[in-house]
Amino acid sequence: MDELKQNLTTVQQRLRYFISTLGITDREFCKRVGLSPAYVSSMRKSVSPSVMSKISELYPLLNPQWLLAGIGEMQLEKREENVWQSQSLLPSQMLERLLEDARNEKARLMAANERLTSIIESQQETLAELTRELKKAAAQHGDDATCAAVG
């Protein structure tokens, strides 16, 4: 199931995966959360803040960042859960926080990408220099062999 978990690209897929770990149907989940029976199957892009709030109240260990953006693990650790609960965030505040976390993660990844690109460029320059030196050495070795064969 871990392989399946890595291929979850939409909120609907992640929500369905979470529901499957509960061992219930989409319909039962909707009933528990107070949604229309076809809510999960009719999802377009994401869940509204009010629905996210209902889900979080009923399933406090579900990581909202994972559900909404695919960031982190599906379930929160106990200490993370307490941080979210102690701050009593409104759904809109939670979404703002998730967006900020996503922006920070994007900036971190872009910086890492720049560092890696720089390393690759440096290694390509080193390879090009070594290739030139190897060609010179081969050419010199070829000239020495020609001279030895003539003499």
Side-chain angles (χ1 to χ4, degrees), residues 47-58 89-91 94:
V47 296
S48 68
S50 62
V51 170
M52 188 68 235
S53 179
K54 290 178 185 180
I55 293 171
S56 293
E57 286 174 25
L58 195 56
L89 296 175
L90 296 172
M94 184 174 14

Side-chain angles (χ1 to χ4, degrees), residues 98-131:
L98 289 169
L99 182 58
E100 182 62 29
D101 290 347
R103 286 182 183 139
N104 290 339
E105 180 69 6
K106 179 182 176 185
R108 186 189 68 73
L109 291 172
M110 289 178 73
N113 187 30
E114 287 179 29
R115 283 192 306 275
L116 292 172
T117 300
S118 175
I119 290 169
I120 289 170
E121 289 170 352
S122 172
Q123 289 177 343
Q124 287 175 332
E125 290 172 11
T126 301
L127 284 172
E129 180 62 30
L130 290 172
T131 301

Side-chain angles (χ1 to χ4, degrees), residues 10 42 62 69 81 117 125 127 136-137 141:
T10 67
S42 65
L62 175 62
E81 173 194 2
T117 300
E125 290 172 11
L127 284 172
K136 284 181 188 176
H141 182 67

Side-chain angles (χ1 to χ4, degrees), residues 26-37:
D26 291 357
R27 193 175 197 82
E28 177 63 25
F29 174 82
C30 290
K31 182 179 175 185
R32 288 181 184 183
V33 177
L35 302 169
S36 70

